[in-house]
Amino acid sequence: MNQYVFLNERFIATENAGISFRDLAFQRGYGMFDFFRVYNGIALFLEDHLDRFYASAKNMHLPVKQSRNEMRSIIYELIQRNQINHSGIRITLTGGVSPDGYSIAEPTLVIAQQHFQPCTEEQFKKGIRLMSYEHQRQLAHVKTVDYLMAIHLQPKLKAIGADDILYYTNDLVRECPRANVFVVTKEDQIITPSQNILKGITRNKVLGLASKDFLIAEKEITINEILSSKEVFITSSTKEILPVMQIDEVVFRADNNVSQALHKQLQRLIQEYSLVTAE
Amino acid sequence: MNQYVFLNERFIATENAGISFRDLAFQRGYGMFDFFRVYNGIALFLEDHLDRFYASAKNMHLPVKQSRNEMRSIIYELIQRNQINHSGIRITLTGGVSPDGYSIAEPTLVIAQQHFQPCTEEQFKKGIRLMSYEHQRQLAHVKTVDYLMAIHLQPKLKAIGADDILYYTNDLVRECPRANVFVVTKEDQIITPSQNILKGITRNKVLGLASKDFLIAEKEITINEILSSKEVFITSSTKEILPVMQIDEVVFRADNNVSQALHKQLQRLIQEYSLVTAE
């Protein structure tokens, strides 16, 4: 079965979807994207993702030809054409094919769907191990294509057996390259940073769920605070919620009750969303 | 007349040189390059550029299939095929088409030639105006494709009538996005930063030339020092040497004698190199 992508103004077979090597994303790293899951044929939290996509595009000085309605139609036509259960859709927008290789041109738009398996119960139980690294993402509030540092650090991660990176700056916790970070304090308060980070859609959903049963705060967390907290977990569209079992040499011996409870609530929210949207 | 690019393992017509939208440079900004001028059919300072290219590739964990000899042959075959006077060649190497969209795969290699006009006498006389901006390039010593901040700032540059950006961090001058910065002090000493920058090939050539007639130093320059210096100029493969006439609100009323003398010497060096290499 052929798979399609939407490239600029039309659907084409994936194998024919070539990008120019003069594209500003390829030559200058100038591009942005958004990514959301497709669950039971429904684009999860699509309006939140479109909000962020259009905001990122504006911030990057990249005009989007498609109206919001057109974007929704394209996304659902792509889902209809490809028929992939358990998938994700990535909308990428770049500076386009620049005549001088530097100035923003007519943006390139790629909407592509790919297979995607959510984390298993076992992966949740196992949790993840983070390596801290001092780094501040540029244009942190925009979902840019800039993962240079994260990918550059992969061999180091593997060498020490860590799963992901925890960025911090001036002793303050920021985020993982593709996820937000939460701590549960010994007083059962739930805290997540709000400055100089990308505000994830799952982060916002989890904050909403947590506020019903916990005191929540969006504020700075120091490295010392995170290392002495009761529970740490990360959130993202692909990972939902995952407990952090270790940061550098510090092992958390947490029961992860809070992340477990919130994970169940998030999964319920996802199911409800897909049912209500399908009607 | 058809133009060719070298893509991975073969020469193909430019219009057929499509890159996958799953390439790590396109999706994650993970790529690097080098760029050199072709002058009278000669690849200028090719060995210096190949040194830096292979060093960048190693630092980025990207294996290069082609030996140095093979790389030289490909470059000269490209020059033969395309026959473009006044041109530049860009060798781009990326993380390749990654199955999971994140892990480094088999690298993508693109060697492409493009038209290029060196600066005119008038442009040299006019010089350029810089806008200072606090920013530190990531992996500064590697020629990565990361120009996110530089391109993001273009509308701001245009709004105030500046030509380029002067990056600084903690009050210390770093570099322009595509050029190195030199100052001439009131005592006729020539200084250029050497930490947390990309060391340009032209920068090194100019340091060599300047050392014959001047005291030179590779060391930190503060913003105050640059603003109170006698002359400021930038160096790059495309711009050679260009005097800086203004930084933010500070206008330099320099005669630019030093940059003019060095520019003549650099142009002589370029001519000599092309003549000697052609033999």
Side-chain angles (χ1 to χ4, degrees), chain A residues 3 5 14 17-31 33 59-61 90 92 94 99-104 108 110 112-114 135-136 138-139 142 144-155 158 164-165 177-178, chain B residues 3 5 14 17-31 33 59-61 90 92 94 99-104 108 110 112-114 135-136 138-139 142 144-155 158 164-165 177-178:
Chain A
Q3 234 189 282
V5 300
T14 302
I19 302 291
S20 167
F21 65 86
R22 294 217 165 97
D23 194 280
L24 273 196
F26 189 79
Q27 288 213 335
R28 303 286 182 185
Y30 201 77
F33 71 107
N59 194 296
M60 295 276 285
H61 320 297
R90 193 190 209 262
T92 307
T94 80
D100 66 359
Y102 206 70
S103 311
I104 293 173
T108 299
V110 181
Q113 193 174 12
Q114 61 211 70
H135 177 67
Q136 174 61 60
Q138 359 174 31
L139 305 181
V142 183
T144 73
V145 298
D146 173 23
Y147 290 77
L148 184 64
M149 192 54 82
I151 293 174
H152 189 255
L153 288 172
Q154 291 305 305
K158 271 187 196 127
D164 212 338
I165 305 156
R178 298 180 287 177
Chain B
Q3 233 189 282
V5 301
T14 303
I19 302 291
S20 167
F21 65 85
R22 294 216 165 98
D23 194 280
L24 272 196
F26 188 80
Q27 287 213 335
R28 303 288 181 183
Y30 200 76
F33 71 106
N59 193 295
M60 294 277 283
H61 322 296
R90 193 191 211 260
T92 308
T94 79
D100 66 358
Y102 205 69
S103 312
I104 293 173
T108 299
V110 182
Q113 192 176 12
Q114 60 210 70
H135 177 66
Q136 173 61 59
Q138 359 174 35
L139 305 179
V142 182
T144 72
V145 298
D146 173 23
Y147 289 77
L148 184 65
M149 192 54 83
I151 293 175
H152 189 254
L153 289 172
Q154 290 307 306
K158 270 188 197 128
D164 212 338
I165 304 156
R178 297 180 289 178

Side-chain angles (χ1 to χ4, degrees), chain B:
Chain B
M1 192 172 58
N2 254 340
Q3 233 189 282
Y4 290 90
V5 301
F6 186 85
L7 176 59
N8 291 326
E9 289 179 321
R10 61 202 177 94
F11 290 95
I12 53 175
T14 303
E15 61 268 29
N16 299 330
I19 302 291
S20 167
F21 65 85
R22 294 216 165 98
D23 194 280
L24 272 196
F26 188 80
Q27 287 213 335
R28 303 288 181 183
Y30 200 76
M32 45 142 289
F33 71 106
D34 221 289
F35 177 89
F36 48 86
R37 277 174 62 189
V38 177
Y39 182 83
N40 285 342
I42 299 297
L44 264 191
F45 309 129
L46 180 58
E47 299 309 314
D48 302 87
H49 286 281
L50 288 179
D51 282 347
R52 189 172 62 181
F53 174 77
Y54 282 99
S56 291
K58 195 178 170 192
N59 193 295
M60 294 277 283
H61 322 296
L62 298 175
V64 184
K65 265 191 188 166
Q66 287 76 9
S67 71
R68 213 164 152 126
N69 268 337
E70 288 167 339
M71 200 62 98
R72 277 190 210 101
S73 306
I74 293 164
I75 287 162
Y76 274 101
E77 185 173 343
L78 191 69
I79 293 171
Q80 282 303 315
R81 281 176 181 249
N82 286 338
Q83 296 288 332
I84 316 176
N85 285 329
H86 301 304
S87 63
I89 288 181
R90 193 191 211 260
I91 316 178
T92 308
L93 189 71
T94 79
V97 182
S98 179
D100 66 358
Y102 205 69
S103 312
I104 293 173
E106 191 175 329
T108 299
L109 174 70
V110 182
I111 309 180
Q113 192 176 12
Q114 60 210 70
H115 290 270
F116 154 77
Q117 280 294 357
C119 289
T120 60
E121 197 80 19
E122 285 68 44
Q123 284 172 303
F124 184 91
K125 265 183 197 145
K126 193 168 166 260
I128 55 165
R129 177 178 166 185
L130 301 180
M131 175 187 86
S132 70
Y133 191 82
E134 179 142 34
H135 177 66
Q136 173 61 59
R137 283 177 52 247
Q138 359 174 35
L139 305 179
H141 54 301
V142 182
K143 201 165 171 71
T144 72
V145 298
D146 173 23
Y147 289 77
L148 184 65
M149 192 54 83
I151 293 175
H152 189 254
L153 289 172
Q154 290 307 306
K156 204 168 177 180
L157 275 188
K158 270 188 197 128
I160 65 166
D163 303 294
D164 212 338
I165 304 156
L166 176 66
Y167 288 143
Y168 70 94
T169 42
N170 297 322
D171 209 39
L172 296 172
V173 170
R174 292 285 168 244
E175 59 194 329
C176 298
R178 297 180 289 178
N180 290 115
V181 182
F182 284 74
V183 305
V184 185
T185 67
K186 296 208 164 68
E187 297 77 30
D188 273 341
Q189 196 187 9
I190 295 184
I191 308 176
T192 189
S194 72
Q195 298 293 311
N196 301 317
I197 59 157
L198 183 81
K199 292 191 176 173
I201 306 302
T202 308
R203 171 186 179 277
N204 290 349
K205 300 296 172 198
V206 169
L207 275 173
L209 293 169
S211 66
K212 292 173 196 162
D213 302 314
F214 297 92
L215 266 177
I216 62 165
E218 296 182 61
K219 63 174 192 186
E220 300 292 21
I221 303 166
T222 66
I223 286 285
N224 272 343
E225 279 166 354
I226 199 171
L227 293 180
S228 60
S229 62
K230 205 170 96 177
E231 267 186 66
V232 181
F233 60 88
I234 64 167
T235 64
S236 83
S237 294
T238 56
K239 298 186 182 82
E240 298 177 348
I241 293 179
L242 267 186
V244 174
M245 299 307 204
Q246 184 171 348
I247 301 175
D248 299 335
E249 301 310 314
V250 176
V251 178
F252 296 95
R253 313 213 175 274
D255 53 18
N256 293 315
N257 280 341
V258 176
S259 46
Q260 221 154 10
L262 287 171
H263 192 213
K264 276 192 188 126
Q265 289 179 45
L266 179 65
Q267 289 183 316
R268 206 176 308 134
L269 183 72
I270 289 170
Q271 279 190 332
E272 280 167 12
Y273 178 95
S274 73
L275 290 173
V276 169
T277 310
E279 273 172 12

